[in-house]
Amino acid sequence: MLGYQVGDDPRQKEPLHANRIEDRIPQLNGYRVGTEQDLFTALSTEERAEFMLISNKAWEECRKRFPNQGELDGHGDAFRHAFWNAMLTRRGPERAAKYTTAHEMNADTKPYTQTFESMDLHNNEVGRNVAQETSGQSLDQVADAIERAVRQGRTVVVDAQGNLQYSDQVAGDRTIHSDMKGTTPSSDLP
């Protein structure tokens, strides 16, 4: 499973330009590194706002469907990444894959970083696949399909020992960050 990896983007976060209106809207421009920032900046202001709304919808559904089940690296996180990708895929599968892969290029010195990155990349791909499988269905039906994917083990989570496991093999309260219940702030970055 650790075959899912991307290189780190060596560029630093770029400062916001206080004179542009889109840079003064909270979280509309956010803090992104290198390639991800380039892709985000290429979007129109409306597309950035839509992107933020999609991301916040992923957080909202994650908390509704997997309350207190690992918003970071647990079942909620698996759902959130998959649903985020499914929603973005509806607006362009190639763009979704390119952006969400760039999102994982953020260099991080925390332990288990490669495991967390692998988890997110795998779950992103599951979400894009589910989006294609549910083409033409309502957003609620897509969310239901993503929830089934998590419960049936198509997604992966990080267990309490820091190992990548299929989501149906680990209890919702037995993931590495299950003690962070409800503490992760919503943002425009899944």
Side-chain angles (χ1 to χ4, degrees), residues 8-91:
D8 295 332
D9 193 326
R11 294 183 289 170
Q12 297 298 312
K13 294 177 181 177
E14 298 187 16
L16 302 178
H17 303 82
N19 60 338
R20 295 187 332 193
I21 186 133
E22 60 264 27
D23 290 331
R24 289 183 266 153
I25 300 172
Q27 296 183 351
L28 189 57
N29 230 2
Y31 295 102
R32 294 168 187 82
V33 177
T35 303
E36 183 183 12
Q37 180 63 36
D38 294 343
L39 294 169
F40 193 75
T41 302
L43 299 174
S44 70
T45 301
E46 292 79 13
E47 289 171 321
R48 291 182 206 176
E50 180 183 33
F51 184 90
M52 187 178 75
L53 292 171
I54 287 170
S55 298
N56 284 335
K57 177 69 173 169
W59 275 101
E60 178 184 306
E61 284 295 315
C62 138
R63 288 180 172 145
K64 181 174 105 179
R65 293 169 184 264
F66 292 92
N68 302 322
Q69 292 187 45
E71 288 183 8
L72 292 176
D73 308 308
H75 297 78
D77 192 26
F79 175 87
R80 187 178 74 248
H81 272 267
F83 191 47
W84 179 52
N85 273 262
M87 289 186 287
L88 289 174
T89 296
R90 293 176 128 199
R91 283 143 183 89

Side-chain angles (χ1 to χ4, degrees), residues 6-13 31-36 101-114 116-117:
V6 292
D8 295 332
D9 193 326
R11 294 183 289 170
Q12 297 298 312
K13 294 177 181 177
Y31 295 102
R32 294 168 187 82
V33 177
T35 303
E36 183 183 12
T101 299
H103 176 70
E104 300 306 328
M105 292 178 176
N106 188 5
D108 197 337
T109 59
K110 295 177 195 167
Y112 306 114
T113 298
Q114 289 185 332
F116 299 150
E117 182 179 287

Side-chain angles (χ1 to χ4, degrees), residues 65 79 82-83 86 126-127 129-131 133-134 137-152 154-155:
R65 293 169 184 264
F79 175 87
F83 191 47
V126 168
N129 291 337
V130 169
E133 294 163 13
T134 58
Q137 294 183 18
S138 73
L139 193 56
D140 284 338
Q141 290 171 312
V142 173
D144 291 344
I146 296 288
E147 182 177 350
R148 280 191 304 278
V150 174
R151 297 195 188 283
Q152 294 171 355
R154 284 179 66 186
T155 60

